[in-house]
Amino acid sequence: MALRWPEDAKLALSIVVNVEEGAEARVADGDPAPESVDEIGIALRRPIVAHANESNYRYGLREGAPRVLRALRERGLPATFPAAALALERAPALAQAIAAGGHEVCCHGWRWVHQFRMDEAEERAFIRRGTESLERSTGTRPVGWLSRYLHTERTRQLLAEAGYRYHMDDYSADAPFWDSAGGRPIVVMPYALDSNDMKFWQAPGLTPRQWLEYALDTFEVLYAEGAHAPRMMSLGLHLRIIGRPGRIGAFESFLDRVREREGVWVATRAQIADHFAAQTPPP
């Protein structure tokens, strides 16, 4: 049976808001050096407290999160929040606000760290700890997983064994698909880096208008292709990046343009994955 979106929508749109603030590398948490991925752009390789970096992450919680949640709430749109579990443990009010807004929380690891160096026992424990933590923080067990950039050959197998229904670490397609290489089928929900707001850090000259134009161009092409084949668009965001005063307007403009177009299904990644699985039997 050919995949069709609900109400014959031409495009499934997945808004992804990453929550990493408070789970990044910090000397106070026993890390050998502070987080180097930061708008400030200072990479320190020594055990020193990077107050400026840490304050930039706190901005995402204090100022960015209310702006992003308000933009979604005012338009009645759901999003998926891949959260490093420790981040929501340390920000219980944010965890409650995400849940109250009807959004999905996906697991972004126990902490915002790389898992590709872990052996099987360590990775299994990492998945279990993140899963149980998010369930305590939000009241709902996560069904989707996003690693920090890299994962192991066994990750999907361990996720399927832990009851996860989808995995996000893939950039190879514009629609969901099955993977059963680990022996148990799991839905792969492809993500996108080219339209991610991390581009503001990677290309400092990028303006919010340029980012918005690229996101809208992506939307228009996938929407047009959706007349002939199922298409999904992922828009990846971060509280401390898109939540800045000079950038939040670009996000709001994107949402407003989407709402003007008929035949767009804005849904959580769990909703999209479950709809795909119900219509497309696993191999």
Side-chain angles (χ1 to χ4, degrees):
M1 179 173 62
L3 175 63
R4 301 171 70 100
W5 299 130
E7 299 182 6
D8 286 329
K10 293 182 179 180
L11 179 67
L13 174 63
S14 169
I15 302 166
V16 178
V17 185
N18 294 277
V19 183
E20 299 149 352
E21 294 83 351
E24 74 278 6
R26 303 194 315 163
V27 172
D29 286 334
D31 296 301
E35 184 61 57
S36 60
V37 179
D38 188 89
E39 190 155 12
I40 296 171
I42 300 175
L44 300 172
R45 302 301 182 192
R46 51 185 294 193
I48 185 173
V49 178
H51 294 288
N53 278 22
E54 291 185 10
S55 69
N56 195 47
Y57 281 80
R58 285 195 297 273
Y59 186 94
L61 298 173
R62 291 177 176 174
E63 309 290 355
R67 290 189 182 114
V68 171
L69 286 169
R70 182 172 61 248
L72 294 168
R73 181 178 64 252
E74 289 177 348
R75 293 159 180 82
L77 298 176
T80 294
F81 285 72
L86 183 59
L88 288 190
E89 281 191 19
R90 290 172 168 172
L94 176 58
Q96 295 170 9
I98 293 172
H103 304 295
E104 176 202 2
V105 174
C106 163
C107 194
H108 200 7
W110 152 241
R111 289 188 64 200
W112 193 45
V113 297
H114 297 294
Q115 68 192 77
F116 69 93
R117 299 186 184 94
M118 300 177 184
D119 61 28
E120 183 171 345
E122 291 171 330
E123 187 174 16
R124 192 185 298 276
F126 184 70
I127 292 171
R128 181 177 62 253
R129 190 174 187 184
T131 304
E132 294 174 351
S133 172
L134 285 181
E135 187 171 15
R136 289 193 300 270
S137 295
T138 67
T140 302
R141 189 177 181 86
V143 299
W145 182 276
L146 173 65
S147 306
R148 179 174 178 173
Y149 309 130
L150 303 171
H151 58 92
T152 71
E153 293 296 327
R154 73 182 79 87
T155 297
R156 287 180 182 167
Q157 175 185 346
L158 296 179
L159 291 174
E161 291 175 359
Y164 278 84
R165 301 202 293 268
Y166 74 83
H167 185 213
M168 284 179 58
D169 294 302
D170 185 275
Y171 310 97
S172 69
D174 291 315
F177 60 91
W178 286 104
D179 178 78
S180 56
R184 295 192 182 191
I186 188 170
V187 176
V188 178
M189 290 285 290
Y191 196 26
L193 295 178
D194 58 316
S195 55
N196 196 295
D197 69 354
M198 188 68 77
K199 293 294 184 180
F200 285 117
W201 291 8
Q202 297 169 337
L206 181 71
T207 69
R209 289 179 179 83
Q210 290 171 326
W211 176 83
L212 171 61
E213 182 179 9
Y214 188 92
L216 288 174
D217 286 347
T218 302
F219 170 79
E220 293 294 349
V221 168
L222 292 174
Y223 182 84
E225 291 180 351
H228 309 287
R231 284 289 179 262
M232 179 185 76
M233 176 180 175
S234 297
L235 188 71
L237 309 165
H238 298 75
L239 300 175
R240 62 193 182 280
I241 302 179
I242 203 65
R244 291 282 172 175
R247 297 173 183 151
I248 191 67
F251 177 47
E252 293 172 332
S253 294
F254 176 84
L255 296 180
D256 290 339
R257 177 73 69 85
V258 166
R259 293 177 71 223
E260 293 174 355
R261 194 65 60 87
E262 294 182 358
V264 179
W265 180 38
V266 183
T268 67
R269 296 183 87 76
Q271 290 171 328
I272 298 172
D274 289 347
H275 181 83
F276 167 81
Q279 289 215 344
T280 309

